Amino acid sequence: MSELSSRAEKADAYDPLAAKRDLFDLDDGVIYLDGNSLGALPRHVPARVADVLNRQWGRQRIRGWTEEGWWDAPQRIGDRIAPLIGAAPGHVVVGDSTSVNVFRAVISALRMTPGRNEILVDATTFPTDGYVAASAARLAGATIRPVEPKNVPNELDGDTAVVLLNHVDYRTGRLHDMGALTAAAHAAGARVVWDLSHSAGALPVDITGHEVDFAVGCTYKYLNGGPGAPAFFAVRPDLLPGLDQPLGGWCSHRDPFAMEPDYVAAEGIAKARAGTPEIVSLLTLDASLDVWDDVDLWLLRAKSLALTEFFVDCVAELAPAAKSVTPTGEDRGSQVSLSCVDAERVMTELIARGVVGDHRPPDLLRFGFTPLYTRFADALRAAEILGEILA
């Protein structure tokens, strides 16, 4: 047995999260390393969704809003996500998409910083965040300036209203320092919006401890909520009373069923809602979150770091033509990105041989390691196949 095989066998044998893998519907012979794009299906979810369709919608119909708690689902499911991102209960709502919630957060933050006119946006951000921030700036008459996250403290000035940052760089997997960057923004009198799409469910997040103003994120990646699952929106507790979000609809009205002509915002996190919630996808997400009920996020993080480090070691020995561009240690999220020649063709061949990752132009192979169901043996086998292709 090789040294790498021995390490993988030992790590899998002593993995405290190993039993979680059996909760997911995974294919034999396929190594799924794309959970940072779409999480795997928990096995119990189809039956729960069938109940939503057949019994709740099919038989109860309109009574589902009250008898099955559909109306309160955005807040109730938000409370299930809250501990996964370090949020206070009652300060997370689920609904709409990440893009919509980025817009909502940026405009809300601008309204909380009167007299300031500039939005700093992560220059390495996932593209949609930049697009949405630019649209928000045009509508609000603000300016927008891309900056590297590490340079944010030096780029802040008296006109900076909002800083929009991704917690993990979607291309390289770099984990940014939430505490330091949030503190710098606050010291300059600005609000900060964090996109947690590539960290929620991958590592411990503490938006309360770091006094994050707004946090958004999708639920279909590491949280396994299903394709297009609704996103979350979190608001710092002391900011919630003054929240003036731009998409107030009837579901965020103080008394929705009074059908009043004038808008009066609801109390609490309900004021962050907009229109009718996406019940089928919301309840699919609700079922998927069951797999998190007893997960220690620090054990999750320890396994994530060990898995990604092991994969980098395997690649260095077995596929040296591919070079990691992902930071080491605590500066890493839960992915490894490799630079190699003809990366798109290489990823196509990897997928054809049962190793599912993704490609980001021009030269990156991207592998997301989801600690709830990825094994060390999977990391080793993926590196072996990559080495065979590159050779």
Side-chain angles (χ1 to χ4, degrees):
M1 179 182 294
S2 71
E3 186 267 341
L4 291 174
S5 296
S6 178
R7 284 175 61 186
E9 185 175 292
K10 183 176 181 180
D12 284 330
Y14 291 96
D15 175 13
L17 297 175
K20 286 292 180 180
R21 179 179 170 85
D22 293 336
L23 301 181
F24 292 87
D25 187 7
L26 301 167
D27 297 315
D28 292 336
V30 175
I31 298 169
Y32 189 66
L33 300 179
D34 209 11
N36 55 331
S37 291
L38 178 64
L41 171 70
R43 293 182 186 277
H44 70 281
V45 168
R48 291 273 290 278
V49 175
D51 177 72
V52 172
L53 296 176
N54 296 325
R55 183 182 64 83
Q56 296 184 35
W57 179 17
R59 303 275 67 79
Q60 291 185 283
R61 303 182 184 91
I62 198 67
R63 292 181 296 146
W65 289 105
T66 52
E67 295 179 16
E68 294 296 334
W70 290 356
W71 183 261
D72 297 324
Q75 294 103 295
R76 175 172 54 80
I77 299 169
D79 278 344
R80 298 194 71 187
I81 290 174
L84 301 177
I85 61 173
H91 292 274
V92 183
V93 69
V94 180
D96 303 300
S97 67
T98 305
S99 298
V100 170
N101 289 337
V102 167
F103 177 83
R104 181 179 284 138
V106 169
I107 294 292
S108 298
L110 282 168
R111 291 175 174 176
M112 290 179 175
T113 50
R116 291 174 176 242
N117 198 47
E118 183 180 65
I119 303 168
L120 297 187
V121 62
D122 183 345
T124 62
T125 191
F126 190 77
T128 193
D129 288 20
Y131 304 157
V132 171
S135 178
R138 289 193 300 274
L139 288 169
T143 60
I144 189 164
R145 183 158 55 95
V147 298
E148 294 279 342
K150 65 182 180 180
N151 295 332
V152 164
N154 298 323
E155 297 289 342
L156 294 158
D157 60 34
D159 195 38
T160 305
V162 187
V163 182
L164 171 62
L165 296 166
N166 276 244
H167 199 195
V168 175
D169 186 311
Y170 81 103
R171 286 175 54 82
T172 68
R174 175 176 290 280
L175 175 67
H176 297 302
D177 190 333
M178 177 180 285
L181 294 174
T182 300
H186 288 168
R191 298 296 181 192
V192 64
V193 179
W194 283 95
D195 185 337
L196 309 180
S197 293
H198 288 86
S199 57
L203 50 93
V205 181
D206 186 8
I207 65 171
T208 297
H210 294 310
E211 299 186 322
V212 168
D213 300 301
F214 299 96
V216 302
C218 66
T219 62
Y220 54 78
K221 300 181 190 294
Y222 293 102
L223 295 178
N224 313 297
F232 59 83
F233 179 42
V235 183
R236 202 174 85 192
D238 61 304
L239 299 182
L240 190 55
L243 177 69
D244 180 15
Q245 65 109 342
L247 297 175
W250 81 292
C251 288
S252 64
H253 193 279
R254 177 184 59 189
D255 189 0
F257 297 99
M259 304 299 176
E260 296 175 352
D262 297 323
Y263 179 78
V264 181
E267 296 294 323
I269 195 62
K271 69 164 62 175
R273 294 176 59 171
T276 305
E278 314 90 325
I279 292 301
V280 175
S281 55
L282 265 173
L283 298 185
T284 301
L285 168 63
D286 191 26
S288 298
L289 290 171
D290 288 354
V291 301
W292 293 98
D293 284 346
D294 59 350
V295 173
D296 183 324
L297 294 180
W298 293 103
L299 288 178
L300 184 88
R301 179 60 168 161
K303 182 179 177 183
S304 166
L305 289 173
L307 261 174
T308 50
E309 189 66 30
F310 177 66
F311 181 66
V312 170
D313 290 348
C314 291
V315 169
E317 181 172 326
L318 302 171
K323 306 296 183 184
S324 174
V325 301
T326 303
T328 59
E330 295 290 343
D331 291 332
R332 172 188 293 146
S334 196
Q335 74 182 57
V336 174
S337 294
L338 305 175
S339 174
C340 78
V341 174
D342 207 4
E344 185 173 11
R345 178 191 62 80
V346 171
M347 182 52 69
T348 298
E349 292 194 28
L350 279 167
I351 293 171
R353 295 185 59 174
V355 178
V356 181
D358 61 26
H359 159 255
R360 289 292 178 265
D363 64 343
L364 291 184
L365 306 172
R366 200 174 66 143
F367 303 94
F369 288 82
T370 45
L372 292 188
Y373 53 80
T374 306
R375 300 170 299 193
F376 288 82
D378 298 327
L380 173 58
R381 184 59 186 146
E384 289 172 343
I385 294 174
L386 176 60
E388 293 167 5
I389 292 170
L390 293 179

